[in-house]
Amino acid sequence: QLYNKTRGNPLFLRQFVDSLLHQGLVFLSLSPIRWAWDLDKISNIEMPVNVVALLIAEMQTLSSDLKQCLRVASCLGSSVKKEAIDIISSGLGLDLAAALDELVKKGFLVRNKDGAEVTFSH
C-alpha cells in the first residue's frame, strides 16, 4: 500500500512515513517490542496529489525557527555552505546551524560528506 500511496517516489515515501509517525499511525509497541501501525486508518488517509503538497503540509507543522531557517536557506540557493549559515546566524541572532541539523534529521535537507554544505532533498 505504501507504494500505491507514494507512487514509488523515495522522497514522497520518506515524507509519508514521517507523517504517519507524527500522526501516531506508526508507533513503537512495547509489548512485544516492535513497530506497529493502524492499517485501517493509514488506508483511509487522503494523500496529497503530489510530493509538493505533502511537503507543504509537513512544512506547516515545523516550528517557526525551522521555517525561518528554510526561508533563509532557500534564498541562498539549492545548496548552502556552513560558513554562510554561520555568518547569517550571527547577523540575525539565530542558531541556524542547529535548525539546519534538525532539518537534515527531518529529511528536508541532505548534508554532504564532509559536512560543510547542505542541499535541499528535492
Side-chain angles (χ1 to χ4, degrees), residues 19-65:
S19 174
L20 294 175
L21 285 166
H22 182 72
Q23 294 176 55
L25 298 176
V26 173
F27 52 92
L28 186 60
S29 173
L30 298 178
S31 181
I33 297 177
R34 64 180 175 85
W35 285 103
W37 49 89
D38 188 330
L39 190 56
D40 290 334
K41 287 184 180 176
I42 292 171
S43 296
N44 291 326
I45 289 177
E46 291 292 325
M47 288 297 294
V49 175
N50 58 38
V51 177
V52 173
L54 181 62
L55 287 173
I56 289 170
E58 287 297 310
M59 283 182 207
Q60 291 172 342
T61 68
L62 296 175
S63 70
S64 59
D65 286 348

Side-chain angles (χ1 to χ4, degrees), residues 81-92:
K81 293 187 182 295
K82 183 184 179 316
E83 56 196 30
I85 288 298
D86 292 342
I87 292 168
I88 294 169
S89 288
S90 63
L92 294 176

